[in-house]
Amino acid sequence: MSRTARWTRRNQELAERGLRRAVRTLTPTGPTTGVLDGREVIVACSNDYLGLAADPQVQAAARGGGATGSRLISGSRPAHRALEEALEDWLGRPALLFNSGYQANLAVLSTLPEAGDVVASDALNHASLIDGLRLSRATRRIVPHADPDAVGDADYLVLEGLYSMDGDVPPLTRYPEAPLRIVDEAHALGVLGPEGRGASAAAGLVPDVFVGTFGKAGGSAGAFVSGPAELIDLLTSRGRSFIFTTALPEPVAHMALAGLTRLRTADDRRERLAANVRRLRDGLAELGWQALGDHHIVPIVVGDGAMDLAARLLDGGVFAPGIRPPTVPAGQERLRLTVSSEHTEAQIDRILEVLGPC
Ligand SMILES: Cc1ncc(COP(=O)(O)O)c(C=O)c1O
């Protein structure tokens, strides 16, 4: 048997179960279009909800070099501080940068709750929140999705502002006030709330721990945690995914700052996005498709047929992959359409046309 035979066997098993994944190359030709494996497509699966990844100011901001090490070892760069100061100006509390939302969530969940703490975590929380909790010595209490009554006497409560695979906002104001609240605003940031400050801000709340990313509506990459100064201190000293990794490269920090600056004043884009969401959701309802949620993530649960439906869309020039286990539970495979402020009405109509009646 060859040295790699065991990996081959596992790949074959995944393929037999329809779970083998492969990356495809998309060459962007505009904020909502690209060439995928040689064919032109409308992109309906990007998290670039405000089209800022294609924004000339964001792209032109990139300059400088690699961070050369952890900020604690080889020094922070002015671009890192400038970005953290801009975040503080925006959200009113200090912030600490991370290389990705995944790493931010690992740091938050593995550092804050301690042995003996009970952490109530929504059943649909993102893998990065789950993995962070797996590194924690606290007791996990997985609570039904969007159910404030199930939280009980937990010490911490972990939620997403807008759920990435179900597209809904949990009833944030109905949860008990006692637990320290950690909210991952990855998909709400830039879109919901005043100046795009997220679902919590839209509900008039300030979570104890606020996690945000720059890689979605921000149009670049990287992430941050914002909260009280004590939180930032603790993560700086104990957050392993902050300490033991090379910091964000300067070009990315500059792009993130440009994206944040654009995003704060992008009410025009937020309005266009809301109009596009309405057009797509109304069109889907007319065609008999039932979509989850109310916002710019538009999941259609179809079960087993999700990959076939995605293939049919691609045949018609629409790129929106099917989502399958382990991202969602078996039986709940879905098509996940995402809307951008930069989709034209004609593109939204084309997506509906290709999808056709349910
Ligand atoms: C809810 C949520 N949190 C965190 C992340 C991770 O963010 P990043 O892509 O910056 O690692 C994602 C991204 O996929 C997400 O959907």
Side-chain angles (χ1 to χ4, degrees):
M1 196 187 279
S2 83
R3 292 178 61 79
T4 55
R6 63 177 67 196
W7 302 332
T8 307
R9 192 199 65 235
R10 286 172 63 189
N11 284 328
Q12 279 165 352
E13 279 168 11
L14 286 170
E16 279 157 21
R17 292 164 55 207
L19 296 179
R20 189 161 178 191
R21 298 173 185 232
V23 287
R24 288 184 285 185
T25 301
L26 176 77
T27 307
T29 52
T32 56
T33 53
V35 176
L36 182 74
D37 299 334
R39 67 172 305 165
E40 287 186 21
V41 291
I42 298 168
V43 177
C45 54
S46 153
N47 298 326
D48 182 24
Y49 306 121
L50 302 177
L52 292 179
D55 185 81
Q57 286 177 34
V58 175
Q59 292 190 352
R63 61 182 185 280
T68 77
S70 166
R71 292 168 72 190
L72 297 169
I73 299 281
S74 48
S76 194
R77 296 292 179 269
H80 297 135
R81 272 314 297 151
L83 182 52
E84 285 171 344
E85 280 165 15
L87 286 164
E88 184 163 359
D89 181 59
W90 185 43
L91 296 173
R93 297 184 300 175
L96 185 68
L97 299 182
F98 286 83
N99 293 350
S100 69
Y102 192 99
Q103 283 167 279
N105 282 337
L106 285 195
V108 164
L109 272 311
S110 65
T111 306
L112 303 180
E114 299 171 90
D117 284 336
V118 173
V119 183
S121 179
D122 187 285
L124 295 191
N125 278 346
H126 187 258
S128 54
L129 295 164
I130 296 171
D131 292 355
L133 265 182
R134 285 181 179 156
L135 294 172
S136 166
R137 306 175 89 187
T139 303
R140 273 169 270 168
R141 180 182 292 164
I142 308 303
V143 295
H145 177 54
D147 183 357
D149 298 331
V151 171
D153 58 355
D155 301 285
Y156 283 87
L157 168 63
V158 189
L159 298 169
E160 290 180 33
L162 173 70
Y163 275 82
S164 59
M165 292 299 148
D166 281 52
D168 62 327
V169 172
L172 293 166
T173 54
R174 296 201 0 245
Y175 282 88
E177 279 178 25
L180 283 156
R181 200 180 277 210
I182 298 169
V183 182
D184 175 352
E185 294 274 8
H187 291 275
L189 206 76
V191 178
L192 303 184
E195 284 194 4
R197 287 198 296 265
S200 312
L205 298 169
V206 180
D208 300 285
V209 183
F210 183 118
V211 181
T213 61
F214 299 114
K216 304 183 196 300
S220 60
F224 63 91
V225 176
S226 157
E230 298 87 332
L231 164 73
I232 303 305
D233 261 6
L234 191 55
L235 292 177
T236 304
S237 299
R238 303 301 285 172
R240 293 171 67 85
S241 57
F242 172 76
I243 300 169
F244 296 107
T245 189
T246 301
L248 270 190
E250 285 176 296
V252 178
H254 284 299
M255 287 175 75
L257 179 54
L260 174 58
T261 309
R262 296 282 285 114
L263 172 159
R264 287 184 69 168
T265 56
D267 283 344
D268 52 340
R269 291 184 187 235
R270 283 186 273 277
E271 277 163 27
R272 286 208 299 277
L273 176 59
N276 281 345
V277 169
R278 255 193 320 277
R279 191 175 185 92
L280 180 67
R281 286 185 173 275
D282 287 352
L284 287 171
E286 265 172 39
L287 291 168
W289 295 100
Q290 280 194 342
L292 303 179
D294 291 321
H295 299 279
H296 48 286
I297 295 174
V298 184
I300 305 174
V301 177
V302 288
D304 257 358
M307 301 312 285
D308 291 342
L309 187 57
R312 184 151 69 74
L313 279 179
L314 194 54
D315 276 344
V318 176
F319 180 31
I323 308 287
R324 46 192 168 162
T327 312
V328 293
Q332 293 192 31
E333 293 83 355
R334 63 199 65 186
L335 188 71
R336 176 179 179 269
L337 300 168
T338 55
V339 186
S340 163
S341 60
E342 305 314 288
H343 279 123
T344 62
E345 290 186 350
Q347 288 173 338
I348 302 275
D349 293 348
R350 176 68 188 154
I351 295 169
L352 291 165
E353 186 189 330
V354 176
L355 205 48
C358 178

